[in-house]
């Protein structure tokens, strides 16, 4: 090596563009301050609790019921969204119909509408005397203040994740592979199940996982419709809030830790799915 | 025959379109209509009266202040992070992107909790803050912090793919022509990314103004002081003031609609597309 | 084998094909040659059933398949961009056409695997069956696509710009290989190309298309030597076009005789070696029209500014209606 080379120049590839030190340094500092240190606090606090206390408050019967409810409803809502999100994505990519732009914008409404607004609106619809609830009540179907209502809120929240994950992959799939399948004698249904579906399955699974992760942590759109009965319709995020209001920081921390580990696991799963499909299909 | 031979028949097409429109209508459009309908349930008078209260004004004011602080902060961060990530090659880049995305995968409630654990009365810095008579939790700074955390990835998330696609040829050309780093950024990079930046800022702003869970944990719900619009909706709703709750909610719904329209226009006009992770 | 009658197709306002008639004999290798927008791909897709004609009939092997859906036509189709199923292995891709057969036509898995193996051998991709398409080169992918199309034992093989996405060297190798394969299998085949060299090298007969019409059908040599329309003369091979008293005179750069008393005089503007000949470019004296000539490189290279006198021989003259008014001049 000739001449002195700065350490940073060895660590990253040299570039003629300036501003790496400033932008990278600022990014790292801001990230550490706003995200990493605060998040680490939860784990730090959880680690300081001791194993038996952590288990006692993090997996109390009430907490277990809350996890069951949160994960269960998020999974059901994710499945509903996987089916209908795929359908909506298919219709948006494949068919031309009047008002398509509006429909496409509508898909993003759950991203844009504040969750509390969604929460009270859904409650207004599904409460026993609500727009829809009044017709369901005589049939003996209770939606608001049951797990069904929670699931409906999570379907609302999760829909765009599935649609927006699947849409680009479906658009990118191209007519040619379907035409190829047809020339080889495949029926339309065979083409869908054997050619189209496997190609979009990783994206669909990603969308499901994103909707699921969001559903597990969702708070604002759920608490109005859920009824919040401990052990019955109390979701995990609400339990954290309740614990906080009772100054039970240990309990709140333990439950938050469990939930964060669960969502990081989902995040990891998504990355693994995408890496695997990239490796195989080269996209 | 005008139908494409490898497409579904007209019947299947109509059925599929109808099904998905019904689903969207039921699950998405109907809640939106419910907001406005409930807000105007007793006519325009009560609707306007509900908005015309000191508490509502205070909530609107606070929401605007929070957004005015949080959005520019994340805008600057988003631009800096995208510059470092897209214009340079360095190991650990994928990890950095994952870390920037972290707030997306954390429950809003947990996002509030972490700041309570740091700055609350029993928190890590609680004693120190009390000593110096500083208040973060149950005060505006806490709401700002939680909002910044929640909206942290928005701008970077939109800019990174856009700037990756644009490459760095333009910047290298500017530098080779003798422009300084700042000149290059202001005259070359910024004009290239301005619509993408606007797009990210819009989404960031919508979330900043609408965030509920995280803000709810750190705010303390002090009327006229630490109540943002979504929190105000909750308080009114829990007091059975439905017209009031839905009146404030309808303002937030209008914000959402404006965001969607602007987003659609930007997508249509500039071919921008949001990632799936908001 | 194939009989097309009056095939007409419009895309909205845009007429793509105007009443195409074409007959192909069993075992023939046909090239559809034309510029983009000439309708050649549309015609190929109509034969396959990937597009439906607005008017006209398609007969395959004596059967009218005009309204038969693509999946029932049993026609092998090779796409320009391969259209391989990227989530399936190479062997699964090849066996796909057999695996979708149901009922009486069902093919046992062992048979499908054996058939895929056999076809991969035919396209010289033995042992690559367990790879994914993403792990293959462009030329290999196109051979997989071909094997996949052959697996259904099609009555007809259609290829849409089969070499279009490949680089020049691979294209040349694959071309020779495809010609040998066709000789070996004797399967009636039609391929679409905009590359005249490809058409002239591979095909038994070339169908030259322009603006939704067939301009000329003939053996490669006939199309090259005796173009019947100004378009064919211009599109197939290089052609000089100069104005003459009876119409437009077409002659190829080599279709000239140098003569001291030649009718035309070229003022040499540029000279370079083009393979075995000198390519000489310049303007004609008098009419100042641009002309290219090929002179044997056994002669000394013409100097710039020099005047070369020559007579076009074998020239074709087309009148204003595009009709050929006179044969050879020689």
């Amino acid at each position: 090596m000739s001449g002195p080379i700065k350490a940073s120049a060895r660590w990253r590839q040299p570039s003629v563009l300036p501003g790496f030190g400033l932008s990278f340094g600022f990014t790292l500092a801001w990230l550490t301050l706003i995200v990493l240190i605060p998040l680490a606090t939860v784990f730090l606090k959880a680690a300081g609790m001791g194993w038996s206390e952590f288990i006692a408050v993090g997996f109390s019967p009430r907490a277990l019921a809350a996890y069951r409810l949160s994960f269960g409803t998020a999974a059901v809502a994710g499945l509903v969204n996987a089916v209908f999100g795929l359908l909506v994505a298919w219709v948006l990519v494949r068919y031309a119909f009047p008002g398509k732009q509006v429909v496409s914008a509508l898909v993003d409404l759950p991203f844009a509408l504040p969750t509390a607004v969604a929460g009270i609106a859904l409650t207004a619809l599904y409460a026993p005397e609500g727009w829809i609830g009044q017709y369901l009540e005589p049939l003996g179907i209770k939606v608001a203040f049951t797990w069904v209502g929670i699931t409906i809120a999570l379907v609302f929240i999760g829909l765009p994740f599935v649609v927006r994950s699947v849409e680009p992959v479906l658009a990118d799939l191209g007519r040619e592979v379907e035409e190829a399948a047809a020339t080889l004698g495949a029926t339309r249904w065979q083409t869908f199940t054997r050619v189209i579906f496997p190609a979009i399955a990783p994206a669909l699974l990603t969308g499901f996982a994103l909707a699921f992760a969001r559903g597990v942590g969702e708070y604002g759109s759920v608490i109005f419709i859920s009824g919040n009965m401990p052990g019955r319709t109390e979701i995990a995020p609400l339990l954290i809030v309740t614990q906080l209001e009772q100054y039970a920081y240990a309990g709140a921390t333990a439950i938050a830790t469990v939930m964060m580990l669960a969502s990081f696991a989902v995040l990891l799963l998504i990355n693994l799915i995408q890496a695997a499909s990239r490796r195989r299909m080269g996209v | 025959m005008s139908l494409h031979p490898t497409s579904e028949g007209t019947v299947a097409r109509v059925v599929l379109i109808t099904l998905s429109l019904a689903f969207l209508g039921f699950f998405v459009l109907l809640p939106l209509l419910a907001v406005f309908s409930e807000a105007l349930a007793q006519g325009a008078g009560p609707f306007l009266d509900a908005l015309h209260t000191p508490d509502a004004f205070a909530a609107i004011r606070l929401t605007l202040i929070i957004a005015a602080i949080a959005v520019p902060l994340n805008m600057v961060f988003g631009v800096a992070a995208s510059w470092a990530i897209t214009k340079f090659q360095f190991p650990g880049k994928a990890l950095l992107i994952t870390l920037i995305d972290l707030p997306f995968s954390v429950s809003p409630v947990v996002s509030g909790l972490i700041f309570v654990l740091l700055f609350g009365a029993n928190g890590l810095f609680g004693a120190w803050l009390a000593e110096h008579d500083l208040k973060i939790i149950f005060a505006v700074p806490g709401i700002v912090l939680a909002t910044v955390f929640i909206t942290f990835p928005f701008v970077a998330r939109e800019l990174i793919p856009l700037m990756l696609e644009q490459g760095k040829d333009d910047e290298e050309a500017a530098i080779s022509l003798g422009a300084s780093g700042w000149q290059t950024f202001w005259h070359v990079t910024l004009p290239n990314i301005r619509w993408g930046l606007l797009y990210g800022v819009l989404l960031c702003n919508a979330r900043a103004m609408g965030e509920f869970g995280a803000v709810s944990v750190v705010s303390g719900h002090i009327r006229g002081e630490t109540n943002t619009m979504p929190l105000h909706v909750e308080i009114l709703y829990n007091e059975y003031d439905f017209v009031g709750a839905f009146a404030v909610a309808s303002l937030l719904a209008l914000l959402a609609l404006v965001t969607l329209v602007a987003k659609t226009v930007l997508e249509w006009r500039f071919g921008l597309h949001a990632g799936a992770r908001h | 084998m194939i009989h097309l009658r009056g095939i007409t197709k419009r895309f909205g306002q845009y007429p793509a094909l105007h009443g195409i008639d074409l007959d192909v004999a069993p075992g023939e290798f046909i090239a559809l040659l034309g510029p983009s927008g000439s309708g050649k791909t549309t015609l190929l897709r109509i034969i396959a059933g990937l597009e439906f004609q607005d008017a006209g009939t398609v007969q395959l092997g004596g059967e009218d398949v005009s309204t038969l859906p693509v999946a029932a036509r049993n026609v092998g189709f090779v796409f320009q961009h391969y259209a391989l199923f990227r989530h399936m292995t190479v062997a699964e891709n090849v066996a796909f056409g057999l695996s979708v057969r149901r009922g009486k036509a069902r093919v046992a898995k062992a048979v499908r695997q054996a058939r895929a193996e056999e076809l991969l051998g035919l396209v010289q991709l033995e042992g690559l069956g367990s790879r994914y398409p993403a792990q293959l080169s462009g030329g290999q992918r196109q051979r997989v696509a071909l094997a996949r199309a052959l697996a259904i034992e099609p009555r007809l093989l259609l290829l849409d710009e089969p070499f279009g996405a490949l680089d020049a060297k691979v294209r040349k190798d694959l071309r020779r290989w495809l010609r040998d394969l066709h000789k070996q299998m004797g399967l009636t085949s039609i391929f679409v190309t905009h590359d005249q060299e490809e058409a002239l090298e591979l095909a038994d007969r070339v169908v030259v298309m322009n603006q939704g019409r067939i301009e000329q059908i003939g053996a490669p040599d006939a199309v090259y030597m005796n173009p019947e329309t100004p378009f064919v003369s211009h599109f197939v091979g290089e052609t000089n076009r100069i104005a003459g008293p009876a119409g437009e005179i077409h002659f190829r750069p080599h279709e000239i005789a140098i003569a001291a008393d030649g009718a035309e005089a070229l003022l040499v503007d540029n000279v370079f070696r083009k393979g075995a000949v000198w390519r000489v470019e310049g303007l004609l004296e008098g009419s100042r029209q641009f002309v290219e000539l090929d002179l044997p490189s056994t002669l000394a290279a013409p100097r710039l500014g020099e005047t070369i006198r020559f007579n076009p021989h074998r020239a074709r003259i087309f009148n204003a209606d595009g009709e050929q008014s006179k044969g050879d001049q020689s």
Side-chain angles (χ1 to χ4, degrees):
Chain A
M1 244 181 247
S2 61
I5 296 175
K6 276 194 293 180
S8 72
R10 260 183 253 156
W11 168 61
R12 67 169 174 92
Q13 288 175 23
S15 166
V16 298
L17 297 182
F20 180 74
L22 181 64
S23 61
F24 184 78
F26 176 68
T27 300
L28 212 57
W30 193 237
L31 178 72
T32 308
L33 271 176
I34 297 291
V35 176
L36 300 185
I37 291 179
L39 278 182
T41 316
V42 177
F43 291 109
L44 213 68
K45 176 119 177 136
M49 281 168 70
W51 195 238
S52 58
E53 193 196 351
F54 183 84
I55 297 288
V57 292
F59 293 94
S60 66
R62 188 174 171 186
L64 283 175
Y67 298 143
R68 237 191 334 268
L69 183 67
S70 278
F71 287 91
T73 49
V76 174
L79 285 175
V80 171
N81 275 328
V83 174
F84 284 94
L86 173 59
L87 175 69
V88 170
W90 179 273
V91 166
L92 284 179
V93 171
R94 291 305 173 92
Y95 306 144
F97 54 92
K100 187 167 157 171
Q101 284 278 354
V102 178
V103 173
S104 178
L106 200 60
V107 168
D108 283 329
L109 185 74
F111 279 158
L113 195 69
T115 52
V117 177
I120 62 168
L122 288 168
T123 312
L125 291 177
Y126 291 99
E129 69 284 1
W131 292 17
I132 299 173
Q134 59 179 316
Y135 300 107
L136 298 176
E137 190 76 2
L139 304 172
I141 304 170
K142 286 194 196 315
V143 175
F145 319 127
T146 69
W147 70 271
V148 182
I150 300 173
T151 306
I152 286 179
L154 297 185
V155 168
F156 174 85
I157 287 297
L159 176 73
F161 291 95
V162 176
V163 178
R164 296 302 179 219
S165 296
V166 172
E167 231 182 344
V169 181
L170 201 54
D172 195 41
L173 196 58
R175 280 265 175 218
E176 275 200 347
V177 286
E178 287 170 53
E179 292 182 347
T183 62
L184 294 167
T187 63
R188 197 69 197 134
W189 181 244
Q190 284 173 325
T191 304
F192 180 77
T193 55
R194 304 226 5 225
V195 175
I196 301 172
F197 189 77
I200 57 173
L204 190 62
L205 201 55
T206 301
F208 169 81
L210 289 171
F212 175 77
R214 175 70 195 265
V216 168
E218 179 56 23
Y219 179 69
S221 62
V222 175
I223 54 159
F224 297 97
I225 203 172
S226 66
N228 309 332
M229 296 262 297
R232 301 254 315 274
T233 58
E234 183 180 54
I235 55 168
L238 178 69
L239 186 53
I240 294 178
V241 173
T242 313
Q243 301 273 308
L244 268 181
E245 280 168 357
Q246 297 164 354
Y247 304 102
Y249 291 104
T253 307
I255 297 164
T257 308
V258 173
M259 287 181 59
M260 273 169 66
L261 289 177
S263 36
F264 291 163
V266 172
L267 199 71
L268 186 70
L269 180 75
I270 296 171
N271 283 325
L272 289 177
I273 295 167
Q274 285 176 339
S277 81
R278 245 198 310 277
R279 225 182 7 260
R280 255 172 108 200
M281 311 206 273
V283 275
Chain B
M1 264 174 271
S2 61
L3 252 181
H4 195 273
T6 57
S7 191
E8 292 73 40
T10 315
V11 177
R13 224 174 243 253
V14 168
V15 167
L16 291 178
I17 292 177
T18 310
L19 253 177
S20 58
L21 289 186
F23 178 81
L24 284 173
F26 211 69
F27 278 90
V28 183
L29 189 60
L30 212 52
L32 182 67
L33 295 180
V35 173
F36 293 105
S37 161
E38 294 286 326
L40 296 167
Q42 290 163 29
F47 170 80
L48 290 174
D49 289 346
L51 292 178
H52 209 85
T53 66
D55 286 350
F57 274 141
I60 293 171
R61 211 175 75 100
L62 181 60
T63 294
L64 292 176
I65 291 172
I66 301 295
I69 301 171
V71 173
L73 282 177
N74 278 331
M75 187 171 100
V76 172
F77 166 78
V79 172
S82 321
W83 179 270
I85 286 170
T86 61
K87 305 294 179 189
F88 302 94
Q89 285 306 322
F90 56 90
K93 194 188 267 192
L95 178 67
L96 182 60
I97 296 176
T98 307
L99 289 179
I100 290 174
D101 268 353
L102 265 186
F104 276 151
S105 47
V106 174
S107 168
V109 168
V110 177
S111 311
L113 169 72
I114 56 180
F115 292 104
V116 173
L117 292 182
L118 270 178
F119 304 118
N122 296 316
L124 228 50
F125 300 108
W128 187 86
L129 288 169
E131 222 169 84
H132 293 79
D133 206 20
L134 294 171
K135 219 166 153 47
I136 292 183
I137 298 306
F138 304 149
V140 173
I143 303 178
V144 171
L145 273 174
T147 306
V148 170
F149 179 93
I150 283 284
T151 56
F152 191 81
F154 276 89
V155 177
R157 183 105 214 137
E158 295 310 323
L159 285 186
I160 290 171
L162 178 70
M163 285 169 74
L164 269 184
E165 197 185 306
Q166 291 178 344
K168 51 187 185 183
D169 293 356
D170 289 11
E171 283 79 10
E172 286 176 348
I175 296 286
S176 76
L177 292 170
S180 73
W182 283 112
Q183 284 173 326
T184 303
F185 176 75
W186 283 110
H187 297 295
V188 177
T189 308
L190 207 53
N192 276 342
I193 62 169
R194 62 185 170 201
W195 297 116
L197 186 62
L198 177 61
Y199 189 94
V201 163
L202 270 172
L203 299 177
C204 182
N205 179 63
R207 185 68 190 267
M209 290 189 170
E211 177 50 29
F212 177 73
V215 169
S216 163
V217 171
V218 297
S219 116
H221 304 264
I222 309 166
R223 272 180 183 241
E225 274 184 51
T226 61
N227 252 357
T228 60
M229 288 169 76
L231 296 179
H232 194 54
V233 169
E234 185 199 18
I235 288 185
L236 293 175
Y237 189 85
N238 286 343
E239 290 170 348
Y240 302 103
D241 179 0
F242 293 135
V243 168
F246 279 102
V248 179
S250 68
L251 292 186
L252 288 168
L254 271 180
L255 166 74
L257 287 179
V258 169
T259 304
L260 285 186
V261 168
K263 184 173 180 288
T264 305
V265 168
L266 284 175
E267 279 173 1
W268 171 72
R269 182 89 173 65
F270 302 103
L272 296 167
H273 274 288
R277 317 195 53 198
H278 298 137
Chain C
M1 174 66 211
I2 308 174
H3 302 289
L4 305 181
R5 287 293 170 269
I7 299 291
T8 299
K9 176 75 182 173
R10 304 177 76 87
F11 291 113
Q13 288 300 303
Y14 176 75
L17 294 171
H18 307 267
I20 299 286
D21 298 326
L22 181 65
D23 297 289
V24 177
E28 260 196 309
F29 201 3
I30 299 285
L32 296 181
L33 173 67
S36 56
S38 59
K40 57 192 191 302
T41 293
T42 305
L43 186 60
L44 195 76
R45 289 170 59 86
I46 285 175
I47 298 170
L50 290 172
E51 217 73 76
F52 284 119
Q53 67 277 21
D54 299 331
T57 58
V58 181
Q59 264 192 33
L60 299 183
E63 181 193 357
D64 186 346
V65 298
S66 299
T67 56
L68 204 61
V70 48
R73 288 200 189 184
N74 197 33
V75 164
F77 200 99
V78 176
F79 294 83
Q80 179 176 2
H81 298 287
Y82 331 123
L84 293 178
F85 309 130
R86 53 189 183 191
H87 60 280
M88 295 182 198
T89 63
V90 164
E92 285 166 350
N93 262 283
V94 174
F96 180 84
L98 300 177
S99 72
V100 295
R101 293 190 183 165
R102 290 284 172 265
K104 260 189 248 162
R106 191 182 179 85
V107 184
K109 188 162 189 200
V111 178
R112 302 200 300 251
Q113 283 171 341
R115 181 92 181 111
E117 205 55 42
E118 181 193 333
L119 279 160
L120 285 175
L122 181 73
V123 298
Q124 298 164 0
L125 292 174
E126 299 94 340
L128 297 186
S130 57
R131 298 248 185 119
Y132 284 92
Q135 299 166 315
L136 302 183
S137 72
Q140 289 175 322
R141 285 182 213 180
Q142 196 54 296
R143 280 185 277 157
V144 174
L146 189 64
R148 184 178 67 177
L150 293 174
I152 59 169
E153 291 176 330
R155 47 177 154 187
L156 173 69
L157 184 63
L158 304 174
L159 307 101
D160 184 12
E161 300 266 8
F163 315 115
L166 303 171
D167 60 47
K169 172 79 176 76
V170 179
R171 195 183 319 189
K172 204 161 177 230
D173 292 346
L174 209 55
R175 213 148 75 187
R176 185 173 307 131
W177 174 82
L178 182 66
R179 190 180 52 201
D180 293 345
L181 190 74
H182 178 259
K183 268 188 199 145
Q184 187 186 332
M185 304 195 40
L187 186 62
T188 312
S189 307
I190 303 179
F191 72 101
V192 156
T193 181
H194 63 269
D195 181 347
Q196 41 147 325
E197 216 180 290
E198 208 165 278
L200 299 181
E201 179 181 332
L202 288 178
D204 297 326
R205 282 195 300 153
V206 178
V207 178
V208 186
M209 295 186 64
N210 182 35
Q211 297 186 342
R213 291 193 169 80
I214 292 179
E215 294 267 338
Q216 187 172 353
I217 305 176
D221 185 54
V223 169
Y224 183 83
M225 293 303 284
N226 301 308
E228 288 166 5
T229 69
F231 174 81
V232 177
S233 168
H234 179 57
F235 188 72
V236 181
E238 290 175 298
T239 297
N240 291 305
R241 290 179 295 182
I242 59 175
E248 206 174 43
I249 303 170
H250 288 219
F251 62 97
R252 307 212 184 269
H254 67 273
E255 291 175 331
I256 55 149
I258 295 182
D261 59 347
E264 308 288 351
L266 175 82
L267 190 63
V268 177
D269 200 30
N270 189 25
V271 177
F272 58 92
R273 173 175 286 281
K274 191 167 185 251
V277 298
W278 295 119
R279 169 58 58 90
V280 182
E281 300 174 342
L283 300 179
L284 290 184
E285 265 175 16
S287 62
R288 302 198 59 76
Q289 298 176 83
F290 181 78
V291 161
E292 299 167 304
L293 304 180
D294 285 343
L295 302 180
S297 65
T298 45
L299 304 177
R303 286 187 310 278
L304 300 189
E306 188 182 345
T307 300
I308 298 175
R309 299 201 79 85
F310 66 95
N311 285 317
H313 74 91
R314 280 193 45 83
R316 293 156 298 279
I317 303 169
F318 294 99
N319 66 19
D321 296 328
E323 286 158 359
Q324 203 159 353
S325 56
K326 214 171 93 193
D328 298 352
Q329 269 193 344
S330 59

